[in-house]
């Protein structure tokens, strides 16, 4: 009997981050950087105005007041997007719009509200003179070049998974292509003579294949690319064909979700034994069954149980970390969240992942078990919004104790 | 000055859930059900064995013990996926595999470990007799039909967004097509003569357009479909063409991310005034600028500020709820998470969404502000992993106080 950690360690030892590929930043959401990024330019790229107003030399308006305004000729007009064509002469002003570059020799911007003029549209003719009513300090209303980020500064470490705001920053830096780790390709098939696709009529003794659709979606959510090989009957040739297709499809991992019959495992084991590597690990986990691990033509094969809840938990515990490793994410345990147990829970000493319902009340996160925990009971899983983790060796948890959970609502709501 | 809630209410009043469309379950991850689902069949569909063993009438083996085993003839063999072709006669056993249907008149299954036989592969010849060493109770090791879910039972409410496990359950129920709300189509463009796409060389006075890529990814994450109209110059004709393209593309919402110049707003406002609906709402929110709302040929138009951080926050506060409404999700405030403030925070009385860094220490979630909060500082946003929400009217928050945050790490890690 192996612990979850021992099995996970053995699995992860079989995988390493996939090689880098160059892709457009447009397609990089959720991809993982294969190289660190440093800023190729300053942000902002040039000193610019943070308001609509008049660029000045601050010393020229130091005496300004509503009673004694300083009147300056307006010698230039700088809308956003243009480059000032001359330095600002002494005792002069340039009309400037938010985001427009500060002219040379100007060191501050007087907001239009601090002048005798009213709101100025960029499309309007600039005035010939402006009266400044309130002085400005050097640097006031100016965003200096490099204020947010200086050229050469490190921005992202490799192994970083890109979020919307990260794509925005890459774009702001003028980076249109990046090197990311190749996306993990996960071949999967369901095996079992009892399985039917959901579109066929149900015949006696058969059940619908639920795992393949669920695992495909889980692979997608984890950042992998699913290569769906369908339902494979419990026959040596059919299984060999599926494995060969996965290898030809350059799968990085082959995932089978076992039929309930042991025949399939016999076949899969047989095929892999020819290559010399096959293990059937008995893992101290609930829900769970023996986990098949092997290699077929050098490609790791992992066999999950056929029971949908066992397959779901097995995926989160063992397969997702392997996909993350392939994708180039740093290895770290799946983060847990703390919650207060609403009732006592008995366990059998195995590391257990129990379907649970979390709710918030008076600022506390409370958790209780959801429905019956049979490993075939997918409806119980659907009603749950968390998995309650009972550590190995623990036989009971008291009401009110603090426990670890994995939330199951993965959307960014 | 309007409150965030007032503005959100006005925006949401413009949207209703999109009409239903029928799609294959294979493509339904993250889509929102437009109709409730009830179970079209029992789960499991038939009573079946939860172990590998021998189906019996429990009364026949009630006296079994290791010293006095009950010997029964094995009259049938039921692997998974077949239908038993006859009822079980009295004082007989049928070899049965996990998941295989219980024969008529059998009421329990003796696990193979409780017999004189060892592990049986489904491919092997069944034995002619079996000796039962331990009795079984009626119903033992049997999963009755409908145990998990009975035919006709409600499974999902309409408005439910589908997760991997939900797709698994739909498949298990033999449902291959479902009615979901149409996916919201969000047209977007960036406006401003100063904007360049990240692939062009940077020229004086210009900056790279960061918002479009960021907003596209945010739309995608929220479950919408982005219709990218590119960078649109500050010119009436160009803006009209963009708006027309959005309308032709059947956009449900047109999102502009304002250039820094006011010229664009003038144009957009002018175009919408011809239709009679345009508002420039001053919202009591930080970071933020006036929020443009209007309609163009009946399609709602929302104009976000050009500053990337304002655009990001504006999207989460005002646009994402509108996309959720269109997608058919129930309206509910974006859930917040509680955290303990690591230092005092001053505010100006506006509802503020400040870039923050959350960390966990000794079971507590601690939050502090991240870098400088300038609304152009996208790097500060990238360094953050949460937004700290300071409610309207609050001018200071003490160190150690409990505050609301929005986590920004949206991946299912």
């Amino acid at each position: 009997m192996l612990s979850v950690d021992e099995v996970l360690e053995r699995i992860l030892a079989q995988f390493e981050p996939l090689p880098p590929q160059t892709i457009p930043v447009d397609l990089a959401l959720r991809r993982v950087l294969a190289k660190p990024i440093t800023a190729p330019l300053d942000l902002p790229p040039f000193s610019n105005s943070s308001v609509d107003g008049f660029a000045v030399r601050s010393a020229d308006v130091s005496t300004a007041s509503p009673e004694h305004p300083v009147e300056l000729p307006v010698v230039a007009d700088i809308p956003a997007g243009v480059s000032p064509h001359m330095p600002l002469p002494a005792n002069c002003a340039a009309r400037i719009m938010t985001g427009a570059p500060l002219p040379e020799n100007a060191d501050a911007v007087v907001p239009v509200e601090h002048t005798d003029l009213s709101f100025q549209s960029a499309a309007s003719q600039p005035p010939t003179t402006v009266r400044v009513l309130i002085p400005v300090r050097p640097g006031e209303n100016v965003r200096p070049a490099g204020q947010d980020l200086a050229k050469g500064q490190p921005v992202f470490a490799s192994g970083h998974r890109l979020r919307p705001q990260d794509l925005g920053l890459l774009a702001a830096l003028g980076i249109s292509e990046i090197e990311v780790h190749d996306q993990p390709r996960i071949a999967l098939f369901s095996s079992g003579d009892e399985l039917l696709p959901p579109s066929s009529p149900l015949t006696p003794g058969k059940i619908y294949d639920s795992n393949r659709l669920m695992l495909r979606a889980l692979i997608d959510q984890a950042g992998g690319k699913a290569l769906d090989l369908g339902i494979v009957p419990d026959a040596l040739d059919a299984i060999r064909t599926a494995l060969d297709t996965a290898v030809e499809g350059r799968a990085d991992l082959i995932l089978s979700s076992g039929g309930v019959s042991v025949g399939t495992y016999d076949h899969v084991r047989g095929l892999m034994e020819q290559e010399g590597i096959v293990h059937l690990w008995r893992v101290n986990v609930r829900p769970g069954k023996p986990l098949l691990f092997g290699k077929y033509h050098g490609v790791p094969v992992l066999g999950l149980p056929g029971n949908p809840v066992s397959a779901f938990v097995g995926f989160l515990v063992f397969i997702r970390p392997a996909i993350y490793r392939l994708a180039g994410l740093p290895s770290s345990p799946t983060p847990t969240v703390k919650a207060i147990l609403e009732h006592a829970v008995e366990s059998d000493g195995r590391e257990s992942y129990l379907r649970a319902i979390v709710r918030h009340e008076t600022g506390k996160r409370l958790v209780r078990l959801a429905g019956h925990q049979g490993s075939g009971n997918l409806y119980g899983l659907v009603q749950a919004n968390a998995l309650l983790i009972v550590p190995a060796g623990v036989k009971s948890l008291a009401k009110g104790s603090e426990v670890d959970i994995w939330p199951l609502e993965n959307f960014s709501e």
Side-chain angles (χ1 to χ4, degrees), chain A residues 370-395:
Chain A
H372 85 87
Q373 301 281 331
S375 58
N377 186 8
L378 194 49
Y379 183 54
L381 178 62
V382 160
Q383 290 173 294
N385 62 8
L387 292 176
L388 164 63
I389 307 172
V390 185
V394 172
K395 297 257 177 154

Side-chain angles (χ1 to χ4, degrees), chain A residues 223-368:
Chain A
K225 215 170 185 161
L227 178 62
D228 187 350
L229 304 174
I231 298 170
V232 176
D234 283 348
L236 190 66
D237 280 353
I239 294 170
R240 185 190 285 120
T241 302
L243 293 174
D244 286 341
T245 308
V247 172
E248 281 155 29
R250 296 184 301 104
D252 301 303
L253 165 63
I254 302 169
L255 193 56
S256 80
S257 138
V260 284
S261 148
V262 291
T264 309
Y265 275 144
D266 288 349
H267 293 318
V268 173
R269 197 193 291 121
L271 286 165
M272 288 189 295
E273 261 165 4
Q274 296 170 6
E275 305 225 1
I277 305 169
V278 61
H279 305 283
L280 198 60
W281 287 322
R282 294 183 61 230
V283 194
N284 192 29
V285 68
R286 179 171 64 131
K289 286 252 173 142
L291 186 73
L292 179 94
F293 175 80
K295 283 200 174 181
Y296 184 78
H297 292 284
V299 182
V301 180
L302 277 156
L304 288 170
N307 269 323
V309 181
S310 302
F312 182 86
V313 171
F315 183 91
L316 295 189
V317 174
F318 298 117
I319 312 299
R320 193 167 61 177
I323 296 177
Y324 285 174
R325 166 71 58 91
L326 284 166
L329 284 166
S331 283
S332 53
T334 305
T336 55
V337 170
K338 299 281 180 197
I340 306 295
L341 201 52
E342 292 198 70
H343 55 74
V345 168
E346 302 298 309
S347 190
D348 63 2
R350 283 183 287 172
E351 182 162 328
S352 300
Y353 293 80
L354 307 177
R355 278 146 277 176
I357 292 172
V358 171
R359 64 193 179 96
H360 291 83
E361 204 180 89
T362 61
K364 279 184 186 155
R365 189 185 289 110
L366 304 172
V367 63
R368 63 189 160 88

Side-chain angles (χ1 to χ4, degrees), chain A residues 105-130:
Chain A
N105 296 339
D107 69 347
V109 178
V110 180
V112 69
E113 301 82 18
H114 294 181
T115 71
D116 63 332
L117 300 168
S118 57
F119 170 76
Q120 308 257 313
S121 161
S124 65
Q125 275 300 316
T128 51
T129 59
V130 62

Side-chain angles (χ1 to χ4, degrees), chain A residues 139-172:
Chain A
E140 200 169 344
N141 301 317
V142 172
R143 291 187 289 222
Q147 181 186 45
D148 295 337
L149 196 54
K151 182 175 172 171
Q153 206 177 319
V155 181
F156 296 113
S158 86
H160 179 72
R161 182 150 58 171
L162 296 165
R163 304 163 298 173
Q165 55 271 47
D166 301 332
L167 301 190
L169 183 59
L170 290 169

